[in-house]
Each structure stands twice: as structure tokens, then as C-alpha cells.
């Protein structure tokens, strides 16, 4: 912004000023020293201004004060660059009209203050609204141009000397440099757009795999997202390799139950994660060097130290994916959160559903609420690590480049990358929030009556234990006594 948006605009805009009859000997020529100085002034000034705006604050008054200071400092940086650049004109003495000088300062500061306050106040709501950000950029660019030509209005140029051949050639060199910088900026913008499209495609492709995402809620109930407006996630594997055709990877699977317990006891596996990464690398090398076709029945890998079947490999991939998420969030693994007690099916949004994705049949919502098992052929699965952040944690993640937004602001973007209907995502996020609330209230005072019941599975696949619908790691219970039972009450209950 400082180099291309302000500096290049200044010198290209000044090239539009034609003095006299356009004779080359009397056109504006610039001093190399002041021109170089004018490059760094807006860069340094805007860096300081934006750094002040990014400072974490808990006081609303301090937050608004920093935004105002940011606007003032950014505006003065633009004004300073303009007048220092003009001060480097070697063949003219410039005399400015005081009223236009004051107007240019007001325009620069006012425009910067307006745009930056809009951006920093509403940016969480604009995560998925690129056109609003584009409007802010156009408003800021318009303010820079308005300031430049307002400052040039009423300016009196007094000729000091005629230009020689070298000075005339330097005018073209400055325009060439400014044009090259603008072209480079355009190429970078196009590259970023292409990369963003590619990233969107990758995120949608992930909806066909087994993924691990991080769902963190700040104290205000907003969800942590990346700058792309999606939740941080890591791929675990393409699909779970079932041992039998009838086996499904769901919440009753032994592997899921193992990782569910692990996320509540991260300290027990943290030191093993480096060894897990080494083992996965060895397994990957062995599979790449073996040219024979393999199947799920023959995919067992032997090594000198341990025997590994696919369930162990999957557990290691889960732990390393969680460690990768923790590293990306600059958190220790122990603080990455606990596993949500449900698996979300992704990749269920058909092309014809995109036209009517704002609606969802009631039976599908009931499936989500009841966590009913659905076949996963050709679809992906998503597991969540979730936790409630403190204000301090939120500020650290905010400074690390992450954003927070409500479901209304970021839900559609997340639903598109997960390839699921938006109402289904809203139900899952609501259940995640409720899961955190109920998980924090496991220790209850008094005496409670629990219910332990076995529910037979269809097709004779064993039994499920009856649990709470809102929190599947707790048995149904009801308060019995407000305090611990007395001796005779305990004997009666026995």
C-alpha cells in the first residue's frame, strides 16, 4: 500500500501535470535523495499505524483511541510523502495555497480514519464479503488521489533552471519504475487470487477425506477461523481402511473411543508424538518401495520394534494431525482441546443442492440431532477438537493472524468448504457450544441417580450404552439429594 498505492500514484499523478506548452526543458524533475526518502516514509508510517490498530485491548475507549490514532498517523504519512516528494523537485520552487494545503490534510486523515475504522470494526462480518473489502480499498485509493490533486490545486511553480538531457531522461525512468511496481503488484494480486481459488478447491476436496478440525469459541461465543474464513483443519487420511465390509468408522468404533480418551489425557501421549511421526515416515517409505498391490487385509507393516496394523497407524495420524494444529495455532498440544463426541459427515452437498441449500428437510435435521448412523461411501468425515478460550488466548490468536466470527458471518463459507447444507452446520456448531457448556459441569454437588442401559444395535452388531443426547460422554442422570447421603440412606440404596 505504501509503495504502490501511494508512492507510485504520486509520481504518476505528477506526470500528468504539464507546465507551459509541454516543452521537455521546463517539466518537473526530481532529486534522487528526496525521491528515495519519500519511498520509505509511507511504508514506515503505515506499518506503525497498522501495528497500533492491531494492539490487543480490553477497553473499548482505548480501542477507539487507537483506531483514531491509526487514521491520523496513516493520513499524515500520505500527506508527508506527497510534500517530501514535491520538495525533491529540483528545477522549481513550489508555493502552496494555504486553504488547499489544509484541505488536503483533512481529506487524507478523514479518509484513512473512515476506512480503517470501518475495516477494523466490521472485518469479522466481512470475512466472506470480498466486495465490501474491495469497496474499502477503492474508498482509500480515492482518498489518496483526492488528497494529491487537492494539494496540487492552487500551487504556484516558479522556474529555477532549465532541464538538461540527463534530467529529461530521468523523468522517464521514474515513470518506468512506478509502472513496473504497479505491474508487479497486479501480478501478485492475480497470483493471490489464483492461489485462493486453488485453496478453495483443496478445502472442498478435503470434504471427501477424514479431517480433524479445531473448533474454538471465544468468551463471546464467536468461532475461530483462518484468514480464509474457515476453521483450522488437518487431514488425517483419505478414508478409514475397514477390516470388514460391514465395519463403519463411527463413535462406537474402538479407535474413536481411544482417541476420545486420549484428548482428555494429552499428557500421556505428548512425548510419543515425535516417535509417531518417525514411524509414519517409515511406514510411508515402506509402502512406496513396495510395488505390489495392497489391500486393507494385507496392509499390515512389520518393523523391528513393534507391530503396526492400520488402527495404530490411524491413531498416530490423528495425534500428529492434532500436533500440527497446535503448532499452527502456537499452542501446546495439551491446550488444543478435547474431541467432540460426534463425527460430522461431509461432502453431502450435491450439485443440485447448491440451488436450494438454504433449506433442509426435517428428517435430515433429525438425523443430525440424533447422530443417526449414515453410510459414508464416497463421503468424508470430520472430527472436531474443541475448547473455550479465555480473553488472553483470544488476543494471542488474534495477533497470530486468526479471526473470530459468528455463525451468521462465517457459516456459509464453512458450509461450502465442508460441502454440507448450512442448516446442518448451524446445528453442529450449536451442539459443539452446548457440548462445551455441559463438559464443564461434570462435577456436580450432591447425590445423583444415573441410568445405565444397553441398547441393542441393528443386525446383531452388539450393544450401545444409553447416554445423554446433548453430551454423549455422560450417562443420563437426575438429582437425588442435595448433599451426600447419610449412612442409613447409603445402606438403603445398597
Amino acid at each position: 500500500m505504501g509503495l504502490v498505492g501511494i508512492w507510485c500514484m504520486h509520481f504518476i499523478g505528477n506526470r500528468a501535470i504539464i507546465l507551459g506548452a509541454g516543452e521537455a526543458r521546463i517539466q518537473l524533475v526530481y532529486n534522487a535523495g528526496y525521491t528515495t526518502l519519500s519511498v520509505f516514509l509511507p511504508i514506515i508510517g503505515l506499518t506503525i499505524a497498522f501495528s497500533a490498530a492491531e494492539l490487543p485491548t480490553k477497553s473499548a475507549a482505548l480501542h477507539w483511541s487507537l483506531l483514531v490514532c491509526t487514521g491520523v498517523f496513516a493520513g499524515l504519512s500520505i500527506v508527508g510523502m506527497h510534500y517530501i516528494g514535491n520538495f525533491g523537485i529540483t528545477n522549481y520552487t513550489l508555493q502552496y495555497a494555504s486553504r488547499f494545503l489544509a484541505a488536503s490534510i483533512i481529506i487524507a486523515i478523514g479518509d484513512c480514519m473512515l476506512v480503517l475504522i470501518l475495516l477494523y470494526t466490521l472485518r469479522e462480518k466481512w470475512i466472506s464479503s470480498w466486495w465490501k473489502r474491495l469497496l474499502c480499498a477503492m474508498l482509500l485509493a480515492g482518498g489518496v488521489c483526492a488528497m494529491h490533486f487537492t494539494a496540487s490545486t492552487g500551487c504556484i511553480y516558479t522556474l529555477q533552471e532549465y532541464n538538461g538531457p540527463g534530467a529529461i531522461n530521468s523523468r522517464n525512468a521514474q515513470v518506468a519504475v512506478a509502472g513496473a511496481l504497479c505491474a508487479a503488484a497486479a501480478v501478485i494480486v492475480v497470483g493471490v487470487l489464483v492461489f485462493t481459488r486453488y485453496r478453495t478447491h483443496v478445502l472442498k476436496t478435503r470434504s471427501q477425506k477424514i479431517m480433524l478440525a479445531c473448533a474454538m469459541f471465544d468468551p463471546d461465543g464467536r468461532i475461530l477461523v483462518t484468514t480464509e474464513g474457515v476453521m483450522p483443519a488437518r487431514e488425517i487420511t483419505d478414508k478409514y481402511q475397514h477390516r470388514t465390509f460391514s465395519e463403519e468408522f463411527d463413535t462406537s468404533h474402538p479407535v474413536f473411543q481411544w482417541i476420545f480418551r486420549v484428548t482428555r489425557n494429552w499428557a500421556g501421549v505428548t512425548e510419543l508424538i515425535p516417535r509417531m511421526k518417525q514411524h509414519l515416515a517409515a511406514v510411508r517409505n515402506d509402502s512406496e518401495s513396495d510395488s505390489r498391490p495392497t489391500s486393507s487385509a494385507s496392509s499390515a507393516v512389520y518393523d523391528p520394534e513393534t507391530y503396526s496394523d492400520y488402527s495404530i497407524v490411524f491413531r498416530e495420524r490423528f495425534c500428529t494431525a492434532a500436533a500440527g494444529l497446535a503448532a499452527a495455532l502456537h499452542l501446546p498440544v495439551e491446550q488444543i482441546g478435547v474431541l467432540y463426541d460426534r463425527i460430522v459427515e461431509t461432502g453431502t452437498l450435491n450439485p443440485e443442492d447448491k440451488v436450494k441449500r438454504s433449506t433442509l428437510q426435517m428428517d435430515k435435521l433429525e438425523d443430525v440431532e440424533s447422530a443417526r448412523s449414515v453410510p459414508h461411501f464416497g463421503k468424508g468425515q470430520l472430527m472436531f477438537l474443541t475448547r473455550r478460550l479465555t480473553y488472553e488466548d483470544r488476543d494471542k490468536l488474534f495477533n497470530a493472524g486468526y479471526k473470530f466470527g459468528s455463525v451468521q458471518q462465517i457459516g456459509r463459507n464453512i458450509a461450502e468448504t465442508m460441502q454440507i447444507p448450512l442448516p446442518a452446520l448451524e446445528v453442529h456448531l450449536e451442539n459443539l457450544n452446548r457440548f462445551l457448556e455441559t463438559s464443564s459441569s461434570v462435577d456436580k454437588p450432591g447425590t445423583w441417580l444415573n441410568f445405565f442401559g444397553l441398547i441393542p444395535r441393528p443386525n446383531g452388531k452388539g450393544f450401545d450404552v444409553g447416554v445423554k443426547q446433548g453430551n454423549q460422554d455422560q450417562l443420563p442422570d437426575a438429582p437425588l439429594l442435595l448433599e451426600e447421603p447419610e449412612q442409613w440412606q447409603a445402606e438403603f440404596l445398597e
Side-chain angles (χ1 to χ4, degrees), residues 122-312:
L122 304 175
R123 59 180 173 179
E124 285 84 6
K125 298 181 181 179
W126 293 358
I127 291 177
S128 302
S129 301
W130 62 268
W131 65 270
K132 294 180 181 178
R133 294 174 178 264
L134 178 61
L135 184 62
C136 273
M138 293 175 62
L139 185 60
L140 186 58
V144 173
C145 293
M147 174 268 152
H148 174 86
F149 289 107
T150 300
S152 300
T153 303
C155 182
I156 300 175
Y157 298 85
T158 304
L159 181 64
Q160 299 296 318
E161 60 182 13
Y162 289 98
N163 298 329
I168 295 174
N169 293 332
S170 67
R171 283 171 46 82
N172 297 327
Q174 289 171 347
V175 174
V177 170
L181 290 174
C182 292
V187 171
I188 292 174
V189 169
V190 172
V192 170
L193 291 176
V194 172
F195 178 75
T196 302
R197 295 283 295 180
Y198 169 75
R199 285 285 300 166
T200 302
H201 173 72
V202 169
L203 291 172
K204 290 183 178 180
T205 304
R206 286 180 175 179
S207 65
Q208 305 296 328
K209 302 179 180 180
I210 298 182
M211 301 292 299
L212 178 64
C214 191
M216 292 189 174
F217 296 85
D218 72 354
D220 299 325
R222 298 180 302 173
I223 308 166
L224 172 75
V225 293
T226 65
T227 54
E228 298 169 333
V230 297
M231 288 183 286
R234 288 291 186 275
E235 176 185 341
I236 299 178
T237 184
D238 288 340
K239 63 179 180 178
Y240 190 87
Q241 297 181 6
H242 306 299
R243 291 173 296 181
T244 62
F245 184 78
S246 60
E247 181 185 14
E248 291 182 3
F249 181 70
D250 52 19
T251 56
S252 61
H253 198 283
V255 174
F256 180 87
Q257 296 174 5
W258 182 87
I259 60 180
F260 186 84
R261 293 192 300 270
V262 163
T263 59
R264 284 151 177 79
N265 300 276
W266 279 117
V269 298
T270 302
E271 296 181 355
L272 300 177
I273 291 178
R275 294 293 301 272
M276 292 180 181
K277 294 179 180 179
Q278 295 175 3
H279 179 255
L280 289 175
V283 170
R284 190 181 305 111
N285 293 334
D286 290 343
S287 62
E288 291 175 355
S289 61
D290 188 2
S291 59
R292 296 174 302 171
T294 60
S295 63
S296 59
S298 62
S299 59
V301 179
Y302 294 87
D303 60 41
E305 298 180 359
T306 184
Y307 162 77
S308 298
D309 59 15
Y310 183 74
S311 66
I312 295 179

